Amino acid sequence: MLSYRHSFHAGNHADVLKHTVLTLCINYLKEKEKPFLYLDTHSGAGRYLLQSEYAEKTEEYLAGIGRIWLQDHCPELLMPYLSVLQYYNRTEKLKYYPGSPLIAKQMLREQDKLNLTELHSTDYPLLRQEFIKDKRAKVLKEDGFHQLKSKLPPESRRGIILIDPSYEIKDDYQNLPKALLEGYKRFATGSYLIWYPVINRSQTQRMINQITNSGIRNILQIELAIKPDNNQKGMTASGMIVINPPWKLQQQMATILPWLREKLDPSNIGHGLIEQLVAE
């Protein structure tokens, strides 16, 4: 049931989009001194070796972060993301790709907290080891969807909640909107970042429709496709549903997304999308 390993996909085009949005949202919350919670429902191993057997089997990172790493003229808004990558790669050679937990670990301040969950029996010990000396972090081997009910609202009443299951388990498409609504009822002012893949467009759209019809307000959609939708195996696009986005995120992504498309979709056969699905 839990056979998915992000090691095969680390640093791909979907990670680039997801972590660009994540770093911009973290930086926004850091503009105020008050602490906040970073809650990651499906944390993975935390760190991925790009020369591993898994990564080299698919080489997805070469068409993702590999096309952006060491570019001479990157948009300034990408620097928070790229700076974290530089922290974990002290030479020009891209050796490690940090997952969302390690990005948050590097960016969060002493007063902020991290709540990380992972169920995979191999990835959980790796994740726990990454944070063993970090007093800000709780690393749990628990169902990430349940955290939206048990860990919200945070004491600080400020937070970023990243929800990015593998969607390998088809129930994720149904369970995510339900769990999201449970969390939103408890913490309506939090920023929720929901990552989604486009493998079967109708299946993904049904989930998005459930979210937009749930009564939740202020929903922004950001999507990057590297191919047109098709019936073949594989992910053609990915996106982020952002609930309560920072007020400047939409304009920031309007600046960044065309540049990302140019680098990640050099054949110009995909698309970029930024749309306010539900108003404030």
Side-chain angles (χ1 to χ4, degrees), residues 81-215:
Y81 169 50
L82 294 175
S83 294
V84 175
L85 288 171
Q86 289 164 0
Y87 175 83
Y88 290 107
N89 295 276
R90 299 304 175 93
T91 67
E92 290 191 354
K93 182 177 176 61
L94 190 61
K95 183 178 181 181
Y96 295 109
Y97 190 84
S100 306
L102 259 66
I103 290 174
K105 179 182 182 180
Q106 175 58 19
M107 295 188 70
L108 265 59
R109 306 158 301 182
E110 187 177 348
Q111 66 264 39
D112 302 320
K113 302 294 184 184
L114 300 94
N115 193 100
L116 313 170
T117 52
E118 178 53 50
L119 275 175
H120 196 286
S121 58
T122 303
D123 285 350
Y124 169 72
L126 297 173
L127 179 69
R128 185 180 58 186
Q129 186 62 35
E130 291 283 358
F131 287 87
I132 199 163
K133 295 181 180 179
D134 195 330
K135 295 180 180 178
R136 303 170 301 171
K138 289 183 180 178
V139 182
L140 306 169
K141 190 176 183 181
E142 295 181 10
D143 187 318
F145 287 138
H146 291 170
Q147 304 300 298
L148 300 174
K149 190 172 183 178
S150 63
K151 296 298 190 295
L152 297 177
E155 186 178 343
S156 63
R157 294 301 194 275
R158 302 180 75 224
I160 291 177
I161 299 93
L162 178 65
I163 309 171
D164 64 334
S166 68
Y167 298 93
E168 181 191 45
I169 303 168
K170 298 308 178 186
D171 286 351
D172 284 347
Y173 289 94
Q174 289 78 46
N175 291 337
L176 191 154
K178 296 174 187 175
L180 170 65
L181 189 57
E182 288 283 358
Y184 185 81
K185 287 176 182 176
R186 289 163 173 75
F187 184 37
T189 57
S191 290
Y192 295 82
L193 280 57
I194 300 113
W195 175 81
Y196 65 86
V198 178
I199 299 167
N200 178 314
R201 173 65 70 175
S202 60
Q203 186 175 43
T204 299
Q205 193 58 51
R206 279 195 297 272
M207 183 186 75
I208 294 172
N209 291 344
Q210 279 187 274
I211 294 171
T212 55
N213 294 328
S214 66

